[in-house]
Amino acid sequence: MPHVKRSALSAAAGLAAALCCAPLAVAAAPAAGATGPLPPRHSEEVFLLTARPTQTNSVDVAPPGNSQGDQLIVSGDLLRSNVTVGRFDEACTATRTGPMDTSDLQCQITLSLSEGQLTVQGVFTITGAGPGDITLAITGGTGRYRTAHGFIHAVNTSNTETQLTVHLIRGAGPVVV
């Protein structure tokens, strides 16, 4: 589990972080690869953030080492221009393991914000080289984010930071920034 713990730490931190600051930057254009404009009353916000974990814990279930059911729990800060703008809480579970410490992780993330919460989830693979690029789904939210969906793309830039590109789509009304 040490490989999973080390590799997933920055990936996990980054995945959640991007979503909390949707109002900080806006690009009202369809996502790359989209076949046409978004339906009426939908708007996409695209922005970058940095995620830094502050607390982590891992649970190594039997059998010892990299095995199905191992967990990684992460909490951390969300930053924009080196200013803390929020926090995230995340739990990842190894759902599949393979040779040479390869694992698939299922992660659930909650971003607690002053105007509501955002949720993100999905599965990604970690190999001996680390997690690589990760894309997970924005699955919903509360308060200001109650109509949120879209995706987040995370790239680890160091062992302690992840660069996030958030594609936040809101429907059922205008986006207020």
Side-chain angles (χ1 to χ4, degrees):
M1 181 81 179
H3 158 66
V4 171
K5 182 172 29 171
R6 184 177 55 253
S7 297
L9 177 59
S10 59
L15 297 174
L19 301 176
C20 80
C21 302
L24 299 176
V26 175
T35 58
L38 292 170
R41 300 183 57 124
H42 286 75
S43 179
E44 180 180 28
E45 299 173 45
V46 180
F47 54 93
L48 297 174
L49 290 175
T50 300
R52 288 187 190 147
T54 56
Q55 292 182 313
T56 62
N57 194 14
S58 60
V59 178
D60 188 5
V61 300
N66 189 31
S67 61
Q68 188 179 37
D70 288 351
Q71 290 190 316
L72 176 68
I73 298 92
V74 182
S75 181
D77 294 328
L78 307 171
L79 296 100
R80 180 174 164 91
S81 301
N82 289 320
V83 175
T84 301
V85 293
R87 92 168 224 221
F88 67 93
D89 297 283
E90 178 172 356
C92 296
T93 302
T95 57
R96 182 183 309 223
T97 61
M100 301 189 325
D101 245 2
T102 299
S103 295
D104 287 348
L105 294 179
Q106 166 72 42
C107 294
Q108 295 81 34
I109 303 157
T110 301
L111 301 167
S112 299
L113 310 170
S114 62
E115 297 179 353
Q117 293 182 334
L118 279 166
T119 57
V120 179
Q121 73 175 34
V123 175
F124 60 93
T125 300
I126 295 178
T127 66
D133 293 355
I134 300 168
T135 302
L136 297 179
I138 298 171
T139 56
T142 64
R144 179 173 185 253
Y145 305 103
R146 70 186 175 283
T147 61
H149 61 283
F151 66 97
I152 180 172
H153 182 78
V155 177
N156 294 328
T157 55
S158 73
N159 287 335
T160 59
E161 290 188 352
T162 301
Q163 178 181 342
L164 306 160
T165 304
V166 178
H167 297 261
L168 180 64
I169 301 169
R170 296 192 228 205
V175 175
V176 179
V177 218

